[in-house]
Amino acid sequence: MSVPVVAVIGAGYAGLACAVELARAGVHVTVFERSHTLGGRARVVHKEHHRGIDNGQHILIGAYSELTRLLRLTGCSPKQLLHLPLTLHVPGRLHLKAAALPAPFHLALGLLRAKGLDWADRLAMLRLMRWLKKRAFRVPPDMTVTGLLRETRQTPALVQLIWEPLCVAALNTPAADAAAQVFANVLRDSLAAGAAASELLLPRVDLSELFPVPAARFLATRRGRLRTGNAIEAIRPVAGGYRLEGDPGSQPWPQVVVATAPYHASGLLASTGGCDRLAAQIDALEHEPIVSVYLALGKGLRLPEPMMGLVSDGVANPAQWVFDRGQLGGTEGLLSCVISAHGAHESLPRDELILATHAQLERQLGRRLPSPEWSQVIVEKRATIACRPGIQRPGNRTPLRGLWLAGDYIDSDYPATLESAVRSGVACANAILAELGRAA
C-alpha cells in the first residue's frame, strides 16, 4: 500500500502542529511556507542593528497542555521555558503571587499575602470565582467581560489592575467588547485549576526557535519536506485531489490543509470555487492589533520581575505589560513593551510612541532610565481575531472533501493563542487520520 501524503500550507504553529502529528503517524507531509522564517504570526524578526527579536510577546501558561506536549515531543529542552508562579506585579500598585497549593488555596493564600489590595478587593475576586464556579463557568452568550465584572461587583482597583489587563492579554480584545464566555474558559483552566495550571511559562528563546524549528527537524527525520519561500497562490480541485498553484511538483494532493492566517485562508478557499460561503464567513471576522515596543537600555538594567504589568490609560501611558528580555535569555537591558488591541496609541507616529512608552516606564518604575541604544516598533495590524460575543469561528472541515483548515481562529474554547493554534492543528491531523483509516 502507498504511504498517505498531505500538503500543509503555512508553517506557523497550527500548520506545524498538524504536520508533526501526521508525520508521527507515518504520513508523508510537505509544508509550504511563503516566508523564509518559520512561525507565522509568532516568529523571530531580524533587523539590521540587533540580533533577532520576536514579532510579539507570547505568554504561555501551564494549562496549555497541547503546546507543552508538542514541545516535549519535538525535543524542546525544559530550560527553554522559564517557569514562574502566577505573578501579577504592577510597580507601586500591586504584587500578587499564587501559592504552590491546590485550587482554591493557591489563589486564596496569594490574595491573603497580596500587596496593594484591601479586603473589599480580595472578597470581590473570590466572589467572581465563586460566581463562575457555581454556574460551571457558563455565562450568557451575549455577556461581555465588562458585563461580567459589573454583575459580580468587582472593585475599581481589581478592574484596573487585574481583570482588564488579563482580559486584553488573553483575548487581545478590550473588556468592554470581549466575550465573557471565552474569558471564563481561560479562568476555569488557569486560576480555578491550581498552581500548575496557572503557572507562567515564559520563552527563553525566540518564537521560531521554541517550536517551529524543532518541528521542522522532527519532520525531516520522518520523510517530511519543508518548502520555505514557496508561496501557494490558489487551490484547484482536480481528479485525485487538488492542484496547488505554486507547487513545483506535478502530482495532485489528495489531502490539503490550509494553515495560514485567516485573511490569507479566505482567498485560498475562494480559489477552489466550492467554498464561497466559508470564505465569506472568515472574511467577516474582525481583527485586533498588537504593538511591541523594544527599548535597548543597556547593561546593568534589570526589572524587579521578568514580566510586569503597567497601568495603561491612552496615549500618555500606552503599554499594558513590560518584559525584561535580559531575564528571559535575551540581551541584558532589552525591554519589550506590549500594547494589545485597538486604542488611542494608534494615532501616534512610531517615534512618538517610543518616547511615550519610555516616559511611561520612567513614571511607573519611579526612576530615570537611560536613553535607548536602539529601539524598534513592530506592529501586527491583524495579530488575532477580535474575540467578541457571538463570533462565528469556523471548524476544521470545509465543504470540500480532503480540504481542511487549521489556525488560531478555528472554533475553540480559547481565544486566538498559540495553544488554540496547535490544538486546531492536532484536531485537523486527527480528523485526516480518521478519514484515511476509513478509506483504507
Side-chain angles (χ1 to χ4, degrees):
M1 295 179 64
S2 60
V3 177
V5 293
V6 175
V8 176
I9 306 172
Y13 275 62
L16 289 171
C18 181
V20 164
E21 285 295 294
L22 290 170
R24 191 164 73 102
V27 175
H28 290 180
V29 185
T30 297
V31 181
F32 296 90
E33 170 55 48
R34 177 187 302 267
S35 172
H36 289 282
T37 303
L38 305 181
R41 285 167 291 151
R43 67 190 184 280
V44 68
V45 177
H46 296 282
K47 299 292 183 180
E48 58 190 38
H49 51 266
H50 53 73
R51 69 181 190 173
I53 56 176
D54 291 326
N55 71 316
Q57 184 71 49
H58 288 261
I59 307 167
L60 315 183
I61 58 175
Y64 286 2
S65 55
E66 277 300 277
L67 179 52
T68 51
R69 179 184 69 83
L70 287 172
L71 291 177
R72 292 192 298 271
L73 176 65
T74 54
C76 172
S77 166
K79 295 181 180 179
Q80 291 183 329
L81 290 171
L82 175 64
H83 292 245
L84 296 173
L86 175 66
T87 303
L88 299 174
H89 181 88
V90 181
R93 299 287 303 275
L94 171 71
H95 185 82
L96 189 158
K97 180 176 289 189
L101 294 170
F105 304 107
H106 70 305
L107 180 59
L109 185 55
L111 277 173
L112 188 65
R113 295 173 173 173
K115 298 177 182 178
L117 299 179
D118 61 23
W119 282 107
D121 301 323
R122 293 178 171 94
L123 291 174
M125 178 178 277
L126 293 175
R127 181 166 57 246
L128 182 145
M129 298 304 293
R130 284 198 303 267
W131 190 91
L132 288 173
K133 189 172 183 179
K134 182 179 179 181
R135 290 158 178 79
F137 289 86
R138 302 301 302 175
V139 305
D142 60 345
M143 179 177 275
T144 64
V145 171
T146 294
L148 171 65
L149 302 181
R150 188 183 303 116
E151 177 71 23
T152 55
R153 306 190 313 280
Q154 297 303 290
T155 63
L158 283 182
V159 171
Q160 182 186 48
L161 299 176
I162 295 180
W163 297 130
E164 287 186 346
L166 286 181
C167 172
V168 79
L171 277 63
N172 194 35
T173 307
D177 301 325
Q181 183 58 67
V182 179
F183 189 57
N185 296 341
V186 173
L187 295 179
R188 177 196 65 203
D189 295 345
S190 56
L191 279 182
S198 60
E199 191 177 45
L200 298 175
L201 312 179
L202 303 181
R204 290 180 177 269
V205 295
D206 67 60
L207 292 173
S208 292
E209 190 64 41
L210 180 65
F211 172 64
V213 171
R217 288 196 291 262
F218 183 94
L219 293 176
T221 64
R222 288 159 178 80
R223 302 191 66 180
R225 300 178 66 192
L226 181 60
R227 301 188 62 91
T228 57
N230 193 157
I232 300 300
E233 304 295 348
I235 302 172
R236 308 295 185 194
V238 295
Y242 301 92
R243 182 91 62 203
L244 305 182
E245 288 191 10
D247 175 11
S250 58
Q251 295 300 313
W253 295 93
Q255 305 282 339
V256 174
V257 178
V258 178
T260 66
Y263 40 86
H264 294 313
S266 59
L268 289 172
L269 291 171
S271 70
T272 66
C275 298
D276 289 349
R277 289 183 63 183
L278 178 57
Q281 178 189 355
I282 294 173
D283 274 336
L285 295 172
E286 297 182 75
H287 295 81
E288 294 278 354
I290 295 179
V291 178
S292 300
V293 180
Y294 284 91
L295 303 172
L297 302 182
K299 292 184 177 180
L301 188 136
R302 182 182 175 92
L303 297 183
E305 300 282 346
M307 166 186 162
M308 293 169 42
L310 298 171
V311 177
S312 175
D313 57 13
V315 172
N317 296 292
Q320 295 125 356
W321 300 92
V322 58
F323 294 81
D324 186 341
R325 302 292 301 186
Q327 297 186 50
L328 299 173
T331 304
E332 185 178 356
L334 178 60
L335 304 184
S336 171
C337 304
V338 180
I339 311 169
S340 296
H342 286 297
H345 64 277
E346 293 174 283
S347 66
L348 292 177
R350 295 195 178 198
D351 288 348
E352 291 184 26
L353 184 60
I354 290 167
L355 290 173
T357 305
H358 187 271
Q360 177 187 10
L361 287 174
E362 288 192 323
R363 283 192 300 272
Q364 297 190 17
L365 292 174
R367 59 171 164 151
R368 294 282 304 208
L369 296 175
S371 297
E373 296 173 358
W374 57 263
S375 57
Q376 183 74 46
V377 176
I378 298 177
V379 180
E380 287 285 338
K381 293 183 178 180
R382 294 179 288 185
T384 70
I385 56 172
C387 195
R388 296 177 179 144
I391 184 175
Q392 297 296 312
R393 297 165 71 171
N396 288 115
R397 294 181 180 272
T398 76
L400 299 181
R401 186 172 183 179
L403 184 63
W404 309 84
L405 291 175
D408 61 5
Y409 66 98
I410 297 300
D411 193 26
S412 167
D413 276 356
Y414 285 173
T417 60
L418 295 182
E419 177 72 3
S420 292
V422 299
R423 285 191 182 197
S424 78
V426 170
C428 186
N430 289 336
I432 292 171
L433 292 172
E435 187 150 306
L436 292 174
R438 285 192 294 270

